[in-house]
Amino acid sequence: MDITSFFISKRNDSLLSGDYGSYRKALSRRILTLRRKLGRTSPRGRKYTAKTPITANDVSSDPELEKAKKTVVKLVDLLRDPEALAPKSALLEARAYYYLMDGALQLEARKWTRCLEAYSVIHVVYSVLAQKSNPKNSEIFKETISSTIEPSIRYAAYQLSVPRTMAVPNIVHKHISKSSEAIKAVLELDPNALKDRKAVTKVQKGKSGRDLPSAITWRSRTVNIEDARIAQSLASAYEAEEKLADLLFAEPDMAPPDKATAYDDVLNPSQDAVDSTKTAIDELSAEGVSSADPRLQALQVTRTALNYALIGWRVGRNRVLCGREDGAHVELAQRKHRKKSPKLSKRVAAHQESNAAKLARLRERLVLYDSTLQSIDSIKELPGVAADQSLVEELDSKKSYFSALRSLTLARSHVLLDNPKNALALFARSLSIVSTIGTADPPPPQSRPLSLEVTQSQTNSLQHLLQGLVTQHQALVELHNLHDEAVRAERGKKAGLTPFIEHLDQYPLGGVDLTQLVDYPPRLRPVPVKPIFLDVAWNYIDYPGREKAEVMEDKDGPINVQTQDEKKETKRGWGWFGR
């Protein structure tokens, strides 16, 4: 008998057409139909009269009820037969539905203790039935537990001031009534039904069988983990860390993008643990719990520890993407070809990556360094970090290490752009930053993946590399300066052949030759003049090809006759104004 599925399906069918008001009307119509069939309703148009309870005489006088009586007697005889008894699971399901209705009634009546007792029983019963039933009914039981029973238990526990950090199975075990008939029937069906609930408080297991952590340590302070959600997420994160370590140890030559993808499997459960902690803190704050409460203090410590671990894995992912030794060395990328031939392999070997591609990769590396520096700064904003002076000094050392790597990457970009002086300045700045790093983390195990830890060997390796680069580019800048001086000296020699007055815009590096200030005596040579001088002297200079004006004698004097070259007088003004 599928009692639960029957009632839930009927309820869902009624709710499809409306809300619980329409569901109530449908039930009322159903009850009215049953009463009409039994003749227990008042006729239309008449005043309501209370009906007396059904007696034996009523049954004997009504042929329909007499027929029903015979059927019931026959049914009772059949049920008394041991072979015809209903299965224990059906009887247990019927009792469970009773407790489901009773829990809802106590919830509406605001009787929180009785509500928790009823829902605790139904939680245990439905959990056992979900394991013993067929897949279809099992899904109905699980959905009822997650959508109706557990939220009701949470709300009733909140009203009774039960800590929200307590898991639902623990609340059920605390408020369950072992003397109820349903629990006795459950123990007959599954003797370990209650033992599993007790084990929740003692030995918690994760999905993979790993023991859930019961405490977490942060900077020599250990606090207990009371929230089951945090413990479950933290156990998943620990398991992902172990898988990542095994993968990197087994394949040390894995490509950086593949390593970064493996890091994502650790970041996801770590982020879930951080979110669960934040949710637990918000719930306690909403309840009005003081910040000095031990539960809230423990959650704040847990939050700081989990956020520090999460940021460490983010930084480790960035370091893996930067390349070998955190991107301190430049790695040339080669093009991939499908077909390999001897001639093609020689071309690939001789092929060099273009400067544009190198600059693009350096730009991507700068973005990773900026993200790392921002992550380190965000650690200082976590609760309790600013007051820890030693931790702040460690974070400053880590920030200096990645700042030096950022300046090193910028210097390499200036090398590609042929700016040796800028590159030398940035190399020198990186070296000065690395020299200020005082503390370093102890060397972690070789199997541990990269995270936020910076060891002394890594700092020394970077410092040694920068010292070599500074020395190299000091020599390059010196050669560049000598070359520039030689070029300027050559220009000065060429300028020395002419008088000093001719190149006043050039600074004399070799001094001024006082015997070559000006030319004396002056030589005949063309001198640039302004065009206006030629216009004024136009009528006074005889240019080749220009005809002279004819002079005509008249009584009053000479008259100049215009030549064909002279233009006619043009009108002035616009339109009739010029007339």
Side-chain angles (χ1 to χ4, degrees):
M1 297 177 65
D2 299 333
I3 298 175
T4 306
S5 60
F6 172 78
F7 283 108
I8 290 178
S9 61
K10 293 297 182 182
R11 181 189 306 169
N12 293 336
D13 293 341
S14 300
L15 289 175
L16 286 177
S17 58
D19 53 3
Y20 279 94
S22 60
Y23 175 55
R24 180 182 178 183
K25 292 179 182 179
L27 293 180
S28 300
R29 289 194 298 268
R30 181 64 178 168
I31 294 175
L32 180 59
T33 302
L34 295 176
R35 292 184 64 192
R36 282 176 181 172
K37 291 182 178 180
L38 294 174
R40 306 294 295 175
T41 59
S42 300
R44 280 189 179 181
R46 295 187 182 182
K47 190 176 180 180
Y48 171 75
T49 57
K51 302 297 181 181
T52 58
I54 299 176
T55 61
N57 295 330
D58 296 333
V59 174
S60 60
S61 61
D62 191 339
E64 294 292 335
L65 290 179
E66 183 66 24
K67 183 179 180 181
K69 175 186 175 182
K70 294 179 180 179
T71 305
V72 170
V73 171
K74 185 178 180 181
L75 179 60
V76 170
D77 294 337
L78 289 174
L79 291 176
R80 286 178 179 176
D81 189 356
E83 297 180 358
L85 286 176
K88 294 182 179 181
S89 60
L91 298 176
L92 180 61
E93 191 175 351
R95 291 193 181 99
Y97 191 77
Y98 163 75
Y99 279 101
L100 182 63
M101 294 294 101
D102 183 51
L105 177 62
Q106 304 303 330
L107 182 67
E108 295 296 333
R110 298 183 178 275
K111 298 179 180 179
W112 310 118
T113 303
R114 295 182 59 181
C115 175
L116 270 181
E117 292 175 355
Y119 276 120
S120 298
V121 172
I122 193 63
H123 189 281
V124 174
V125 173
Y126 276 5
S127 299
V128 173
L129 291 177
Q131 300 175 0
K132 303 294 183 179
S133 304
N134 54 45
K136 181 180 178 180
N137 291 339
S138 177
E139 290 297 326
I140 293 176
F141 292 134
K142 292 179 181 179
E143 184 180 357
T144 306
I145 291 174
S146 60
S147 62
T148 304
I149 298 174
E150 289 188 351
S152 302
I153 291 175
R154 281 288 184 191
Y155 185 74
Y158 169 74
Q159 296 294 336
L160 292 175
S161 301
V162 177
R164 291 197 176 186
T165 56
M166 184 179 293
V168 172
N170 295 344
I171 299 174
V172 169
H173 174 71
K174 183 178 180 181
H175 294 85
I176 198 168
S177 177
K178 299 180 182 179
S179 60
S180 64
E181 297 180 359
I183 294 300
K184 294 179 181 178
V186 166
L187 293 176
E188 293 178 2
L189 188 63
D190 186 2
N192 298 323
L194 297 181
K195 293 182 180 179
D196 294 338
R197 268 71 190 168
K198 293 180 181 179
V200 172
T201 59
K202 296 181 179 179
V203 183
Q204 294 181 337
K205 295 289 182 179
K207 295 180 180 180
S208 61
R210 179 190 179 94
D211 293 347
L212 296 184
S214 59
I216 189 170
T217 302
W218 165 250
R219 306 290 294 179
S220 72
R221 181 176 178 181
T222 302
V223 295
N224 294 327
I225 300 177
E226 299 178 356
D227 197 322
R229 295 170 297 179
I230 300 176
Q232 184 66 49
S233 301
L234 193 57
S236 301
Y238 288 161
E239 183 182 358
E241 291 175 16
E242 294 179 358
K243 291 181 180 180
L244 176 63
D246 296 340
L247 178 63
L248 296 182
F249 184 76
E251 301 180 14
D253 298 332
M254 186 185 299
D258 298 335
K259 291 182 180 179
T261 303
Y263 269 82
D264 292 338
D265 297 335
V266 181
L267 290 173
N268 293 332
S270 300
Q271 184 65 54
D272 293 340
V274 171
D275 294 340
S276 300
T277 307
K278 180 66 168 56
T279 302
I281 293 175
D282 292 341
E283 290 176 352
L284 287 179
S285 301
E287 294 177 7
V289 178
S290 173
S291 59
D293 189 273
R295 295 176 297 169
L296 196 56
Q297 289 288 331
L299 286 175
Q300 292 289 2
V301 174
T302 305
R303 177 190 177 190
T304 301
L306 294 178
N307 274 287
Y308 185 86
L310 175 63
I311 293 174
W313 291 118
R314 287 177 182 170
V315 173
R317 184 180 184 275
N318 293 342
R319 295 175 70 178
V320 166
L321 288 173
C322 287
R324 184 168 58 94
E325 295 187 11
D326 300 329
H329 297 275
V330 178
E331 299 176 356
L332 298 179
Q334 294 183 353
R335 297 178 180 177
K336 296 181 179 180
H337 298 270
R338 295 180 179 178
K339 297 181 179 180
K340 293 184 179 181
S341 61
K343 295 182 179 180
L344 188 59
S345 61
K346 293 181 180 179
R347 293 178 184 176
V348 172
H351 170 72
Q352 293 183 355
E353 191 177 10
S354 63
N355 286 344
K358 292 180 182 178
L359 289 173
R361 290 198 297 112
L362 292 176
R363 193 179 299 109
E364 294 175 357
R365 196 169 293 177
L366 281 176
V367 173
L368 294 174
Y369 290 139
D370 290 337
S371 176
T372 300
L373 294 175
Q374 291 176 2
S375 299
I376 295 176
D377 289 336
S378 65
I379 295 177
K380 298 180 181 180
E381 300 175 1
L382 296 175
V385 174
D388 194 339
Q389 187 63 28
S390 60
L391 178 59
V392 172
E393 292 178 358
E394 292 179 9
L395 293 176
D396 290 338
S397 300
K398 294 177 175 62
K399 185 176 180 181
S400 299
Y401 176 78
F402 291 106
S403 297
L405 287 171
R406 185 181 185 278
S407 299
L408 172 61
T409 304
L410 279 174
R412 292 191 184 279
S413 65
H414 282 282
V415 171
L416 295 176
L417 296 174
D418 196 15
N419 295 326
K421 293 183 179 180
N422 295 346
L424 176 60
L426 289 169
F427 282 134
R429 175 176 173 78
S430 299
L431 182 59
S432 64
I433 293 175
V434 172
S435 302
T436 60
I437 298 178
T439 59
D441 297 321
Q446 295 182 355
S447 60
R448 179 173 174 79
L450 283 176
S451 58
L452 191 56
E453 291 79 10
V454 178
T455 62
Q456 189 64 41
S457 61
Q458 293 172 341
T459 304
N460 295 338
S461 176
L462 179 60
Q463 186 174 6
H464 180 71
L465 173 64
L466 288 171
Q467 287 175 350
L469 290 173
V470 168
T471 304
Q472 176 186 1
H473 284 79
Q474 282 177 344
L476 291 175
V477 170
E478 186 65 24
L479 291 175
H480 191 271
N481 291 337
L482 293 175
H483 178 266
D484 291 344
E485 290 179 2
V487 171
R488 286 194 294 266
E490 185 67 22
R491 291 177 181 175
K493 290 181 180 179
K494 293 181 180 179
L497 301 178
T498 58
F500 181 68
I501 196 173
E502 299 292 339
H503 51 84
L504 293 175
D505 58 330
Q506 299 178 7
Y507 182 78
L509 295 176
V512 179
D513 187 3
L514 299 179
T515 61
Q516 292 289 336
L517 294 178
V518 294
D519 283 338
Y520 187 82
R523 298 190 302 253
L524 181 63
R525 57 180 181 173
V527 178
V529 295
K530 294 182 179 180
I532 192 172
F533 293 158
L534 300 178
D535 296 341
V536 173
W538 172 262
N539 295 328
Y540 302 94
I541 300 176
D542 293 337
Y543 292 98
R546 179 169 177 263
E547 298 181 359
K548 295 182 178 181
E550 297 181 359
V551 181
M552 297 180 61
E553 294 293 339
D554 196 5
K555 295 180 180 180
D556 297 334
I559 300 174
N560 291 334
V561 180
Q562 293 182 349
T563 61
Q564 296 179 356
D565 297 338
E566 295 181 0
K567 297 182 179 179
K568 295 182 180 181
E569 184 179 359
T570 59
K571 296 180 180 180
R572 298 179 181 178
W574 295 281
W576 56 274
F577 291 103
R579 297 180 181 177

